[in-house]
């Protein structure tokens, strides 16, 4: 694999036309697989339930019709159908709510909505980090560059499993397939190393933003990719020096490069010292799941 691989993703195409596969140098593309529902059970949790999807849609229809009418259809469906896991600042589950509500700055500020999230950092066998540029249709932080995959475990049994952050790792495997077309076989859940957790708040624009308790997952694998243009505009592998140049350009406002706030926080606080452990195969030495780092 070259030291810098970049793939430009087509913005739109007919669903009847097969998407082009992107192959790594060391791994052939594998077809997406179906996921069996987890047979593991979890103990009942007393939850503080939020507004139903129907009531949220009603509120949106009444107050936000014009704004929401411009939302991409795929993103709108995910905003209302996906239920994020609400937690307190100690990462205890307190309820659930739609992705829509969890990303409205008005609700984040008025109700202190905090949801669980994850950020995947995937390295190839050359120890290059895979970055993605978020699609132009994303509701929050469109077209910014970020780490390999950033999303949320959902309020479902398989992604609520607390032991060894298995629910979060299950969600990461699911979203790597959804966003980048990386098959589950290429990213086994047992191969993720959960290095730590950060808590941050970041507005995206005047309306949307993030308030997340974010699990940081590292994995070293050569994978096949088939990026989803509804989620991803571009992807590239970078080494340390290339990432430092991207960071310099983002800070200088050059070439229109912007970084997601959570990625910037990880880069500035942890990433380069953790990169040493990636290359040495000693990631577990860097893991700290007892601390929740509150970053601004």
């Amino acid at each position: 694999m070259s030291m810098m691989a970049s793939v430009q993703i087509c913005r739109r195409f007919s669903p009847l036309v097969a998407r082009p596969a992107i192959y790594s140098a060391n791994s052939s593309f594998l077809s997406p697989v179906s996921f069996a529902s987890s047979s593991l059970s979890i103990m009942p949790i007393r939850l503080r339930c939020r507004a139903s999807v129907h009531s949220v849609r009603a509120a949106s229809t009444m107050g936000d019709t014009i704004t929401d009418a411009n939302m991409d259809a795929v993103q709108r469906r995910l905003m209302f159908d996906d239920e994020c896991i609400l937690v307190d600042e100690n990462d205890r589950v307190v309820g659930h709510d739609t992705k829509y509500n969890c990303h409205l700055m008005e609700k984040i500020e008025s109700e202190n909505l905090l949801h669980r999230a994850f950020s995947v950092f995937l390295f190839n066998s050359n120890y290059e980090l895979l970055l993605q540029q978020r699609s132009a249709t994303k509701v929050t932080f469109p077209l910014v560059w970020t780490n390999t995959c950033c999303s949320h475990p959902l309020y479902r049994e398989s992604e609520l499993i607390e032991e060894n952050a298995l629910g979060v790792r299950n969600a990461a495997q699911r979203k790597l397939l959804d966003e980048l077309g990386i098959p589950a076989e290429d990213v086994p859940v047992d191969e993720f190393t959960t290095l730590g957790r950060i808590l941050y708040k970041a507005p995206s624009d005047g309306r949307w933003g993030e308030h997340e308790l974010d699990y940081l997952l590292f994995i070293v694998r050569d994978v096949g990719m088939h990026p989803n243009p509804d989620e991803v505009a571009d992807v590239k592998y970078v080494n340390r020096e290339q990432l430092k140049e991207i960071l310099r350009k983002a800070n200088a406002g050059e070439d229109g490069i912007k970084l997601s706030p959570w990625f910037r926080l990880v880069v500035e606080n942890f990433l380069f010292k953790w990169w040493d452990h990636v290359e040495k195969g000693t990631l577990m030495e860097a893991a700290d799941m007892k601390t929740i780092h509150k970053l601004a």
Side-chain angles (χ1 to χ4, degrees), residues 175-192:
K175 285 303 291 183
L176 284 167
L177 176 62
D178 289 349
E179 292 191 1
L180 292 163
I182 299 175
E185 295 95 332
D186 283 12
V187 283
V189 291
D190 291 342
E191 293 291 322
F192 290 103

Side-chain angles (χ1 to χ4, degrees), residues 193 195 218-220 274-275 277-278 280-287:
T193 300
L195 284 185
F218 276 50
I219 186 169
V220 182
W274 285 351
W275 212 311
H277 289 284
V278 170
K280 294 175 183 177
T282 56
L283 274 173
M284 286 305 300
E285 294 181 10

Side-chain angles (χ1 to χ4, degrees), residues 60-291:
S60 174
T61 300
M62 293 174 62
D64 302 311
T65 303
I66 296 175
T67 303
D68 293 344
N70 295 324
M71 192 184 298
D72 177 78
V74 172
Q75 298 301 325
R76 185 186 300 113
R77 174 178 57 80
L78 295 174
M79 276 288 189
F80 288 114
D81 290 352
D82 285 357
E83 290 271 330
C84 294
I85 301 168
L86 297 177
V87 294
D88 64 18
E89 293 194 354
N90 294 308
D91 200 20
R92 292 187 291 253
V93 178
V94 298
H96 57 98
D97 208 340
T98 60
K99 185 179 176 183
Y100 184 96
N101 276 347
C102 288
H103 292 84
L104 280 173
M105 283 307 298
E106 179 183 357
K107 283 190 169 289
I108 289 172
E109 298 292 357
S110 64
E111 301 181 31
N112 196 34
L113 293 188
L114 174 65
H115 61 276
R116 191 174 283 170
F118 64 82
S119 291
V120 174
F121 293 74
L122 184 150
F123 296 81
N124 63 18
S125 57
N126 292 323
Y127 307 119
E128 297 167 319
L129 174 62
L130 179 62
L131 304 183
Q132 71 155 276
Q133 184 183 33
R134 291 161 65 87
S135 77
T137 60
K138 297 290 281 188
V139 174
T140 58
F141 303 101
L143 292 178
V144 305
W145 283 94
T146 191
N147 50 283
T148 311
C149 180
C150 328
S151 191
H152 320 90
L154 300 181
Y155 188 77
R156 57 178 63 168
E157 184 177 5
S158 63
E159 297 182 15
L160 279 162
I161 301 169
E162 301 280 351
E163 185 176 0
N164 296 322
L166 179 57
V168 174
R169 289 184 285 127
N170 284 338
Q173 187 187 65
R174 171 179 58 83
K175 285 303 291 183
L176 284 167
L177 176 62
D178 289 349
E179 292 191 1
L180 292 163
I182 299 175
E185 295 95 332
D186 283 12
V187 283
V189 291
D190 291 342
E191 293 291 322
F192 290 103
T193 300
T194 311
L195 284 185
R197 293 172 292 178
I198 64 172
L199 194 161
Y200 75 96
K201 182 189 294 184
S204 174
D205 55 22
R207 188 173 185 219
W208 305 101
E210 295 283 6
H211 190 205
E212 295 185 329
L213 201 153
D214 195 10
Y215 285 65
L216 307 178
L217 306 178
F218 276 50
I219 186 169
V220 182
R221 301 281 292 188
D222 288 317
V223 299
M225 283 187 290
H226 185 165
N228 176 0
D230 287 319
E231 297 286 344
V232 179
D234 197 1
V235 295
K236 64 176 69 176
Y237 281 98
V238 296
N239 60 31
R240 296 190 204 212
E241 295 309 310
Q242 289 163 340
L243 180 56
K244 289 177 182 178
E245 178 62 10
I246 289 172
L247 184 63
R248 184 196 67 78
K249 287 185 176 182
N251 290 339
E254 292 181 18
D255 299 338
I257 294 176
K258 296 181 180 179
L259 302 180
S260 72
W262 59 88
F263 181 48
R264 182 182 286 276
L265 287 171
V266 175
V267 170
E268 292 175 348
N269 289 277
F270 307 110
L271 182 58
F272 291 110
K273 60 184 177 183
W274 285 351
W275 212 311
D276 292 332
H277 289 284
V278 170
E279 295 178 352
K280 294 175 183 177
T282 56
L283 274 173
M284 286 305 300
E285 294 181 10
D288 175 12
M289 290 304 294
K290 294 181 179 180
T291 307

